[in-house]
Amino acid sequence: MLRALILSLIFVVAGGLASVGSSHGRRHVLILGGSGRIGTATAIHLLIRDSSLRIRLAGRDAQRGQKAVDEVNREVGRAGWCDFVSCDYTSEVEMSFALEGMDAVVHVAGPFVGPNALRPLQLSL
């Protein structure tokens, strides 16, 4: 079920990106919650689907963020298309910094644990 939800999310994001132009050549996507399992899976699937994208993962923990970047780069077989920014999405200042130069945002930060683990993801589709 999780895989189906992630693929549905990718379809929605990729479809939206098809209509998004970029003034700087490549399209840049910020993934909030990017250091988590759903965030890294989203980044991997987006880069596999469109190798011209530039992905920025955002999360609170820089160490987890670097591990996530390493995982994404390893899974897609190339480095330099994914980076990480430490960001608390409740902070306007940190969000302004994280959003700079982005063309799209995928928000997967959330409470994906417990009996309602997939509910926030289902509601976002």
Side-chain angles (χ1 to χ4, degrees):
M1 176 149 173
L2 177 60
R3 179 171 168 73
L5 286 171
I6 290 172
L7 291 175
S8 295
L9 177 64
I10 300 308
F11 179 76
V12 169
V13 172
L17 282 172
S19 64
V20 174
S22 176
S23 61
H24 41 268
R26 287 193 176 93
R27 290 169 297 163
H28 292 67
V29 179
L30 174 68
I31 301 178
L32 295 172
S35 61
R37 184 69 230 127
I38 294 172
T40 54
T42 300
I44 290 164
H45 284 284
L46 282 173
L47 285 168
I48 288 170
R49 186 178 178 108
D50 185 345
S51 62
S52 70
L53 293 176
R54 177 93 164 109
I55 303 290
R56 175 177 292 161
L57 305 177
R60 293 173 293 186
D61 185 328
Q63 188 173 14
R64 278 188 70 191
Q66 187 54 56
K67 287 180 183 178
V69 168
D70 293 343
E71 178 184 347
V72 170
N73 289 336
R74 184 176 57 254
E75 290 293 322
V76 299
R78 61 188 183 281
W81 297 92
C82 180
D83 64 4
F84 179 82
V85 62
S86 188
C87 176
D88 177 350
Y89 68 83
T90 65
S91 166
E92 187 175 335
V93 171
E94 290 183 26
M95 279 300 297
S96 292
F97 176 76
L99 288 166
E100 189 171 323
M102 295 295 111
D103 299 303
V105 176
V106 178
H107 190 319
V108 293
F112 298 108
V113 295
N116 293 317
L118 297 179
R119 190 70 180 139
L121 185 58
Q122 290 168 328
L123 292 173
S124 70
L125 296 176

